[in-house]
Amino acid sequence: LDELIPEIPPSGDVFLVLARMQLAQGDTDEAERSLRDATRSAPELLRAWVALAQLLEKQNRHDEFAHPMLHYEREVYRIGAQVEHGATLEQRLDAIAQFRVALPDPRISRILARALKNDAFDVQTAALNALEKVGTENAIEAIEAYRTNATSQALRERAAAVLEAIRDRHAR
């Protein structure tokens, strides 16, 4: 692995995977360094901010724990603004894709639920796909309303599948 690392182009995802491997090996110092590299190279990578905060918390470094969580909060709202007010369809879809790989979070669910009201079918579909992965119970009412008013049977079925995924996740 050490021989391959210099050949892999740096990216937030690569640093995040590397940190997970380092944690599995018990190397918390290197894992922290990799997580910090992940957040520097890809500040929009919400999972990296959470992983860094969790690592610091496990090490009882509570004075440092707040810093990554503040960055996480800022990124959630920055990405949320892109979902709701992105100048182009592509910007909105990219922002939704960033949420799709986040962790379940009620704030993210609210933003994605509002995206279901967007006029663009692609935005609605992307929001449903993201809600299936990271939606929380606070999005259920909006998804149910979307399902009721959906313009096709396929969209009603998709919304039903998303509702089932959210309910299953929260039943565990």
Side-chain angles (χ1 to χ4, degrees):
L1 178 65
D2 289 338
E3 295 122 21
L4 292 175
I5 291 172
E7 297 180 26
I8 300 171
S11 76
D13 288 318
V14 169
F15 287 125
L16 187 58
V17 169
L18 184 58
R20 287 184 179 147
M21 291 171 57
Q22 292 161 332
L23 282 172
Q25 296 170 350
D27 193 348
T28 56
D29 290 341
E30 284 301 314
E32 180 182 344
R33 195 173 351 275
S34 293
L35 288 170
R36 291 189 186 282
D37 287 342
T39 59
R40 262 192 299 280
S41 66
E44 72 282 355
L45 191 59
L46 299 174
R47 293 172 298 152
W49 290 112
V50 172
L52 178 57
Q54 289 172 335
L55 177 62
L56 296 171
E57 185 178 39
K58 281 182 187 174
Q59 295 175 331
N60 293 319
R61 293 165 57 190
H62 302 289
D63 54 325
E64 297 175 61
F65 168 82
H67 180 74
M69 290 312 296
L70 287 172
H71 280 281
Y72 169 86
E73 300 284 332
R74 273 189 241 145
E75 284 301 309
V76 165
Y77 288 108
R78 185 190 66 74
I79 296 167
Q82 289 273 309
V83 169
E84 294 185 13
H85 308 291
T88 66
L89 177 63
E90 288 75 23
Q91 286 177 334
R92 290 175 183 210
L93 293 175
D94 287 345
I96 290 171
Q98 290 172 5
F99 279 156
R100 189 164 188 255
V101 296
L103 299 170
D105 181 322
R107 291 161 296 199
I108 292 172
S109 287
R110 277 192 297 276
I111 293 165
L112 292 169
R114 286 193 303 265
L116 293 174
K117 296 177 182 177
N118 191 286
D119 292 339
F121 172 78
D122 290 345
V123 170
Q124 295 170 19
T125 302
L128 281 172
N129 291 340
L131 282 163
E132 182 176 35
K133 299 290 183 194
V134 300
T136 58
E137 290 174 319
N138 68 327
I140 288 176
E141 186 178 328
I143 299 167
E144 286 174 340
Y146 179 84
R147 182 179 64 180
T148 300
N149 299 316
T151 57
S152 73
Q153 182 62 28
L155 288 175
R156 282 188 288 281
E157 290 171 3
R158 183 71 187 111
V162 171
L163 285 167
E164 183 179 339
I166 292 171
R167 289 180 175 129
D168 286 349
R169 185 172 36 258
H170 289 284
R172 290 183 217 145

